Amino acid sequence: MTNIKIALIGATGYTGTAVLNEALSRGHQVTAIARNPDKITVTNDNLTLKAVDIYDADALAEALTGHDAVSSSFNAGWGNPDLYADFIKGSETIQAATKKAGVKRLLVIGGAGSLYLPDGSQLVDSTEFPAEWKEGATAARDYLNILKNETKLDWTFLSPAINLHPGTRTGVFRLGTDNPVFNEQGKSDISVEDLAVALVDELEKGQFIKQRFTLGY
């Protein structure tokens, strides 16, 4: 596999850290983009750190230029009172900056809330959906609908399993598209380490261009 030059947005976050480690373990070149990249303690010859305000489209486009792909683990902050508006604004800025930088490939990690249940409803609209996650999940769902209208980028949206948790890297899981992947016990779960495996697999193989996909054990 040819090494990919990946611009990783949100590299200091929960999923971003796992993606960073997975991409570096495969020998890819990674530019870790975050507000405070000094939080990253990993040292690797293939790692470059850049401090960028992702709401600054021009500065972000400059940082993204020259990469083969942009992977976004952007999160507007769960305690942010303007979470919904800032998530949409930040996500659209990343999308626009990717195009301005001349990068064709954009892979976005969103939430599980936009996955569909058997009755055709979405998880985020169910009464059982945790209230504390609802605003962020709704923003991710609505951004996916915006992204579906994107024609110039080879975009992919990755929804994790319903239960995303710390664990181990197994590399063994099943993929789906718009519905949660349940196991025989009726659970949909995945470790953040295996989520990162699936994301870097997608960057290498491009199985879900202009599509959303998901995964689970």
Side-chain angles (χ1 to χ4, degrees):
M1 175 66 208
T2 303
N3 287 352
I4 303 171
K5 293 182 69 174
I6 303 167
L8 176 57
I9 296 171
T12 61
Y14 180 52
T15 57
T17 298
V19 174
L20 174 64
N21 292 334
E22 180 66 26
L24 290 175
S25 76
R26 301 196 198 186
H28 297 305
Q29 292 179 264
V30 181
T31 301
I33 295 172
R35 185 174 285 107
N36 300 301
D38 291 343
K39 291 180 180 179
I40 297 171
T41 57
V42 176
T43 56
N44 189 295
D45 290 343
N46 285 330
L47 175 61
T48 303
L49 305 181
K50 284 193 178 180
V52 182
D53 177 0
I54 66 94
Y55 297 106
D56 184 338
D58 291 337
L60 183 57
E62 184 178 345
L64 299 181
T65 299
H67 292 84
D68 300 314
V70 175
S71 173
S72 175
S73 301
F74 169 66
N75 186 323
W78 289 108
N80 181 354
D82 297 317
L83 171 57
Y84 180 90
D86 285 351
F87 184 90
I88 297 294
K89 177 185 175 183
S91 298
E92 290 188 312
T93 301
I94 292 166
Q95 184 178 339
T98 300
K99 284 191 283 190
K100 185 173 183 179
V103 181
K104 185 76 170 173
R105 188 77 170 105
L106 173 64
L107 206 157
V108 176
I109 297 181
S114 58
L115 292 169
Y116 288 90
L117 296 169
D119 65 1
S121 64
Q122 288 177 289
L123 277 169
V124 68
D125 295 325
S126 69
T127 55
E128 294 82 13
F129 198 87
E132 63 268 27
W133 305 114
K134 195 173 183 72
E135 187 174 16
T138 301
R141 184 263 305 275
D142 292 353
Y143 177 63
L144 172 58
N145 288 331
I146 292 169
L147 195 57
K148 286 177 178 178
N149 293 315
E150 173 60 59
T151 58
K152 293 182 180 179
L153 295 174
D154 286 340
W155 62 266
T156 302
F157 187 99
L158 171 56
S159 287
I162 295 171
N163 180 27
L164 176 64
H165 54 80
T168 57
R169 181 193 188 283
T170 70
V172 180
F173 43 78
R174 293 173 297 134
L175 301 179
T177 51
D178 288 325
N179 303 96
V181 176
F182 292 106
N183 63 18
E184 292 179 355
Q185 289 74 43
K187 294 181 179 179
S188 168
D189 70 340
I190 197 72
S191 71
V192 69
E193 293 83 0
D194 278 336
L195 179 76
V197 172
L199 185 144
V200 180
D201 283 350
E202 176 60 23
L203 285 175
E204 292 177 352
K205 300 173 184 175
Q207 290 181 275
F208 298 97
I209 303 295
K210 293 186 172 65
Q211 294 182 65
R212 181 257 295 279
F213 79 106
T214 186
L215 76 169
Y217 294 124

